Amino acid sequence: MIDIFEIFSTFSYLGPLIVLFLMNLSPILMPPNWLILSSFYALDDSMNLIGLVVIGATASTAGRFVLKQLVSKFKNHSSNTSNLNVIGNYLNKKKYGYVISSFVFAVTPLPDNILFVAYGLIKAKSIGMYVGFWIGKLLAFYVMLTISPAILVPFTRIFEDRLIGILLADCLGIIAIIIFAAINWNILLNEKKLRFIKPRLWRF
């Protein structure tokens, strides 16, 4: 894993651009974006922090855009999206619904990969989803890169084998997916009550 970082770091700013774009094409099983970007910054601290943050946010947003488009193409293979359609209908009624939802998912540890899978399944078309996501990633990356010297080294010490850390992040992501799919969004959005249903992940 370290060799991959070292290889792509020789491409300067193009390295994180390529890696983050490819990472964000995947709906699951990817390490946190901030960890990847912080690793590039640690390998070459001569990079301009603001420039790296902008590149990271742009690459992540572009990757999620392609992911959403790909999911939209395969929507017909999903026979049950009624639970997700509730989310789409709710966001369509709110002026800044897509902007706010994308921003919240981008700036917090919430699984934004699943958000864009959901966007694809309901064929969401608002440009606000990308605007909110880009701004959220911009803020999140700036904060994480600013404090990365204090958290990146302890993180890698806890997981001396970086693969273990990535697998742990993947497991947490899968758990988040299951919880997201199990929420009864109709009741949550309309009645403000948290209820769960049996998740049908093979259809999700």
Side-chain angles (χ1 to χ4, degrees), residues 30-63:
M30 282 292 145
N33 284 191
W34 69 264
L35 178 60
I36 301 301
L37 203 60
S38 296
S39 297
F40 276 107
Y41 192 51
L43 286 173
D44 185 3
D45 58 7
S46 66
M47 287 184 171
N48 179 270
L49 188 147
I50 299 297
L52 192 58
V53 165
V54 172
I55 287 174
T58 303
S60 298
T61 305

Tab-separated table of all heavy atoms in Angstrom, residues 30-63:
chain	number	residue	atom	x	y	z
A	30	MET	N	-13.812	1.014	0.546
A	30	MET	CA	-12.750	1.970	0.288
A	30	MET	C	-12.382	2.692	1.582
A	30	MET	O	-13.257	2.971	2.403
A	30	MET	CB	-13.191	2.991	-0.764
A	30	MET	CG	-13.132	2.462	-2.183
A	30	MET	SD	-11.441	2.170	-2.711
A	30	MET	CE	-11.660	0.710	-3.742
A	31	PRO	N	-11.080	2.993	1.790
A	31	PRO	CA	-10.669	3.718	2.993
A	31	PRO	C	-11.164	5.164	2.951
A	31	PRO	O	-11.544	5.665	1.893
A	31	PRO	CB	-9.134	3.656	2.930
A	31	PRO	CG	-8.832	3.504	1.472
A	31	PRO	CD	-9.940	2.658	0.919
A	32	PRO	N	-11.175	5.835	4.086
A	32	PRO	CA	-11.634	7.238	4.120
A	32	PRO	C	-10.813	8.132	3.198
A	32	PRO	O	-9.594	8.021	3.133
A	32	PRO	CB	-11.437	7.626	5.594
A	32	PRO	CG	-11.413	6.337	6.338
A	32	PRO	CD	-10.794	5.343	5.421
A	33	ASN	N	-11.475	9.035	2.510
A	33	ASN	CA	-10.796	9.955	1.593
A	33	ASN	C	-9.737	10.788	2.298
A	33	ASN	O	-8.658	11.040	1.759
A	33	ASN	CB	-11.819	10.875	0.914
A	33	ASN	CG	-12.602	10.189	-0.192
A	33	ASN	OD1	-13.309	10.821	-0.954
A	33	ASN	ND2	-12.496	8.859	-0.283
A	34	TRP	N	-10.059	11.257	3.520
A	34	TRP	CA	-9.128	12.123	4.234
A	34	TRP	C	-7.823	11.400	4.535
A	34	TRP	O	-6.745	12.013	4.541
A	34	TRP	CB	-9.742	12.656	5.531
A	34	TRP	CG	-9.944	11.620	6.604
A	34	TRP	CD1	-11.072	10.920	6.881
A	34	TRP	CD2	-8.961	11.163	7.544
A	34	TRP	NE1	-10.872	10.048	7.922
A	34	TRP	CE2	-9.582	10.173	8.349
A	34	TRP	CE3	-7.623	11.480	7.784
A	34	TRP	CZ2	-8.904	9.498	9.377
A	34	TRP	CZ3	-6.952	10.820	8.808
A	34	TRP	CH2	-7.594	9.839	9.597
A	35	LEU	N	-7.910	10.084	4.780
A	35	LEU	CA	-6.716	9.304	5.090
A	35	LEU	C	-5.799	9.233	3.872
A	35	LEU	O	-4.569	9.345	3.994
A	35	LEU	CB	-7.117	7.898	5.545
A	35	LEU	CG	-5.973	6.935	5.872
A	35	LEU	CD1	-5.113	7.499	6.991
A	35	LEU	CD2	-6.522	5.569	6.247
A	36	ILE	N	-6.387	9.047	2.704
A	36	ILE	CA	-5.604	8.995	1.479
A	36	ILE	C	-4.944	10.347	1.198
A	36	ILE	O	-3.749	10.430	0.920
A	36	ILE	CB	-6.503	8.598	0.294
A	36	ILE	CG1	-7.140	7.227	0.546
A	36	ILE	CG2	-5.708	8.600	-1.011
A	36	ILE	CD1	-6.160	6.113	0.751
A	37	LEU	N	-5.734	11.409	1.302
A	37	LEU	CA	-5.210	12.738	1.013
A	37	LEU	C	-4.135	13.130	2.029
A	37	LEU	O	-3.113	13.728	1.664
A	37	LEU	CB	-6.353	13.761	1.029
A	37	LEU	CG	-6.126	15.052	0.236
A	37	LEU	CD1	-5.879	14.743	-1.237
A	37	LEU	CD2	-7.315	15.987	0.380
A	38	SER	N	-4.352	12.789	3.280
A	38	SER	CA	-3.367	13.096	4.322
A	38	SER	C	-2.068	12.326	4.098
A	38	SER	O	-0.979	12.827	4.389
A	38	SER	CB	-3.936	12.758	5.708
A	38	SER	OG	-5.046	13.569	6.011
A	39	SER	N	-2.182	11.112	3.584
A	39	SER	CA	-0.997	10.307	3.305
A	39	SER	C	-0.157	10.938	2.200
A	39	SER	O	1.074	10.959	2.274
A	39	SER	CB	-1.412	8.885	2.913
A	39	SER	OG	-2.077	8.237	3.975
A	40	PHE	N	-0.810	11.449	1.164
A	40	PHE	CA	-0.084	12.157	0.108
A	40	PHE	C	0.590	13.403	0.661
A	40	PHE	O	1.739	13.710	0.317
A	40	PHE	CB	-1.043	12.547	-1.021
A	40	PHE	CG	-1.283	11.457	-2.029
A	40	PHE	CD1	-2.485	10.778	-2.062
A	40	PHE	CD2	-0.294	11.108	-2.948
A	40	PHE	CE1	-2.706	9.770	-2.992
A	40	PHE	CE2	-0.506	10.112	-3.882
A	40	PHE	CZ	-1.722	9.435	-3.906
A	41	TYR	N	-0.105	14.110	1.526
A	41	TYR	CA	0.434	15.334	2.119
A	41	TYR	C	1.625	15.023	3.017
A	41	TYR	O	2.600	15.789	3.062
A	41	TYR	CB	-0.655	16.045	2.911
A	41	TYR	CG	-0.307	17.449	3.340
A	41	TYR	CD1	0.172	18.386	2.425
A	41	TYR	CD2	-0.470	17.853	4.663
A	41	TYR	CE1	0.474	19.669	2.818
A	41	TYR	CE2	-0.162	19.139	5.069
A	41	TYR	CZ	0.313	20.046	4.133
A	41	TYR	OH	0.624	21.324	4.533
A	42	ALA	N	1.566	13.886	3.710
A	42	ALA	CA	2.665	13.486	4.585
A	42	ALA	C	3.905	13.105	3.778
A	42	ALA	O	5.039	13.329	4.217
A	42	ALA	CB	2.232	12.313	5.462
A	43	LEU	N	3.694	12.519	2.595
A	43	LEU	CA	4.812	12.119	1.756
A	43	LEU	C	5.479	13.317	1.081
A	43	LEU	O	6.667	13.288	0.781
A	43	LEU	CB	4.342	11.128	0.683
A	43	LEU	CG	4.040	9.702	1.168
A	43	LEU	CD1	3.425	8.877	0.053
A	43	LEU	CD2	5.310	9.037	1.681
A	44	ASP	N	4.704	14.361	0.829
A	44	ASP	CA	5.246	15.551	0.175
A	44	ASP	C	4.602	16.794	0.779
A	44	ASP	O	3.615	17.314	0.270
A	44	ASP	CB	4.986	15.490	-1.340
A	44	ASP	CG	5.642	16.650	-2.090
A	44	ASP	OD1	6.341	17.461	-1.444
A	44	ASP	OD2	5.448	16.740	-3.315
A	45	ASP	N	5.184	17.279	1.874
A	45	ASP	CA	4.592	18.427	2.556
A	45	ASP	C	4.894	19.749	1.859
A	45	ASP	O	4.534	20.814	2.357
A	45	ASP	CB	5.046	18.489	4.023
A	45	ASP	CG	6.564	18.561	4.158
A	45	ASP	OD1	7.250	18.703	3.122
A	45	ASP	OD2	7.061	18.462	5.295
A	46	SER	N	5.569	19.672	0.701
A	46	SER	CA	5.791	20.888	-0.073
A	46	SER	C	4.554	21.255	-0.890
A	46	SER	O	4.477	22.349	-1.454
A	46	SER	CB	6.984	20.708	-1.030
A	46	SER	OG	6.700	19.732	-2.022
A	47	MET	N	3.594	20.334	-0.943
A	47	MET	CA	2.348	20.616	-1.652
A	47	MET	C	1.598	21.736	-0.950
A	47	MET	O	1.593	21.824	0.277
A	47	MET	CB	1.456	19.363	-1.694
A	47	MET	CG	1.920	18.274	-2.624
A	47	MET	SD	0.723	16.897	-2.677
A	47	MET	CE	1.399	15.922	-4.017
A	48	ASN	N	0.969	22.580	-1.742
A	48	ASN	CA	0.160	23.654	-1.190
A	48	ASN	C	-1.107	23.057	-0.589
A	48	ASN	O	-1.845	22.334	-1.277
A	48	ASN	CB	-0.198	24.659	-2.286
A	48	ASN	CG	-1.064	25.791	-1.769
A	48	ASN	OD1	-2.291	25.706	-1.789
A	48	ASN	ND2	-0.432	26.854	-1.304
A	49	LEU	N	-1.375	23.342	0.672
A	49	LEU	CA	-2.503	22.722	1.369
A	49	LEU	C	-3.829	23.072	0.705
A	49	LEU	O	-4.667	22.188	0.480
A	49	LEU	CB	-2.507	23.151	2.837
A	49	LEU	CG	-3.513	22.444	3.752
A	49	LEU	CD1	-2.949	22.287	5.158
A	49	LEU	CD2	-4.832	23.226	3.831
A	50	ILE	N	-4.026	24.343	0.386
A	50	ILE	CA	-5.287	24.759	-0.231
A	50	ILE	C	-5.465	24.093	-1.593
A	50	ILE	O	-6.558	23.607	-1.937
A	50	ILE	CB	-5.351	26.290	-0.386
A	50	ILE	CG1	-5.255	26.965	0.990
A	50	ILE	CG2	-6.642	26.693	-1.095
A	50	ILE	CD1	-6.395	26.620	1.920
A	51	GLY	N	-4.391	24.065	-2.377
A	51	GLY	CA	-4.458	23.437	-3.687
A	51	GLY	C	-4.791	21.960	-3.590
A	51	GLY	O	-5.589	21.431	-4.369
A	52	LEU	N	-4.195	21.279	-2.604
A	52	LEU	CA	-4.451	19.854	-2.413
A	52	LEU	C	-5.891	19.613	-1.967
A	52	LEU	O	-6.525	18.640	-2.394
A	52	LEU	CB	-3.479	19.296	-1.365
A	52	LEU	CG	-3.408	17.766	-1.228
A	52	LEU	CD1	-3.019	17.131	-2.558
A	52	LEU	CD2	-2.401	17.382	-0.137
A	53	VAL	N	-6.402	20.489	-1.125
A	53	VAL	CA	-7.787	20.369	-0.659
A	53	VAL	C	-8.767	20.530	-1.826
A	53	VAL	O	-9.728	19.768	-1.961
A	53	VAL	CB	-8.077	21.430	0.424
A	53	VAL	CG1	-9.576	21.577	0.653
A	53	VAL	CG2	-7.392	21.042	1.730
A	54	VAL	N	-8.513	21.525	-2.683
A	54	VAL	CA	-9.383	21.754	-3.844
A	54	VAL	C	-9.341	20.559	-4.791
A	54	VAL	O	-10.384	20.097	-5.295
A	54	VAL	CB	-8.968	23.042	-4.585
A	54	VAL	CG1	-9.735	23.168	-5.904
A	54	VAL	CG2	-9.216	24.256	-3.710
A	55	ILE	N	-8.148	20.028	-5.024
A	55	ILE	CA	-8.005	18.869	-5.894
A	55	ILE	C	-8.731	17.665	-5.296
A	55	ILE	O	-9.428	16.912	-5.998
A	55	ILE	CB	-6.519	18.542	-6.117
A	55	ILE	CG1	-5.899	19.583	-7.046
A	55	ILE	CG2	-6.338	17.137	-6.688
A	55	ILE	CD1	-4.407	19.440	-7.224
A	56	GLY	N	-8.571	17.461	-3.983
A	56	GLY	CA	-9.220	16.344	-3.319
A	56	GLY	C	-10.736	16.423	-3.401
A	56	GLY	O	-11.414	15.429	-3.716
A	57	ALA	N	-11.281	17.610	-3.141
A	57	ALA	CA	-12.737	17.792	-3.192
A	57	ALA	C	-13.264	17.608	-4.608
A	57	ALA	O	-14.324	16.996	-4.823
A	57	ALA	CB	-13.108	19.176	-2.666
A	58	THR	N	-12.517	18.108	-5.586
A	58	THR	CA	-12.939	18.003	-6.981
A	58	THR	C	-12.893	16.563	-7.467
A	58	THR	O	-13.816	16.081	-8.132
A	58	THR	CB	-12.045	18.875	-7.884
A	58	THR	OG1	-12.105	20.235	-7.421
A	58	THR	CG2	-12.495	18.806	-9.326
A	59	ALA	N	-11.823	15.849	-7.118
A	59	ALA	CA	-11.684	14.447	-7.530
A	59	ALA	C	-12.766	13.584	-6.886
A	59	ALA	O	-13.360	12.709	-7.540
A	59	ALA	CB	-10.297	13.930	-7.156
A	60	SER	N	-13.039	13.812	-5.611
A	60	SER	CA	-14.065	13.045	-4.905
A	60	SER	C	-15.441	13.284	-5.508
A	60	SER	O	-16.214	12.346	-5.713
A	60	SER	CB	-14.077	13.415	-3.413
A	60	SER	OG	-12.848	13.112	-2.801
A	61	THR	N	-15.742	14.549	-5.797
A	61	THR	CA	-17.042	14.892	-6.380
A	61	THR	C	-17.195	14.300	-7.778
A	61	THR	O	-18.257	13.776	-8.129
A	61	THR	CB	-17.223	16.416	-6.438
A	61	THR	OG1	-17.042	16.976	-5.125
A	61	THR	CG2	-18.602	16.787	-6.949
A	62	ALA	N	-16.126	14.365	-8.573
A	62	ALA	CA	-16.174	13.802	-9.926
A	62	ALA	C	-16.389	12.296	-9.875
A	62	ALA	O	-17.158	11.731	-10.668
A	62	ALA	CB	-14.878	14.127	-10.678
A	63	GLY	N	-15.719	11.627	-8.931
A	63	GLY	CA	-15.893	10.189	-8.783
A	63	GLY	C	-17.308	9.818	-8.382
A	63	GLY	O	-17.896	8.856	-8.919
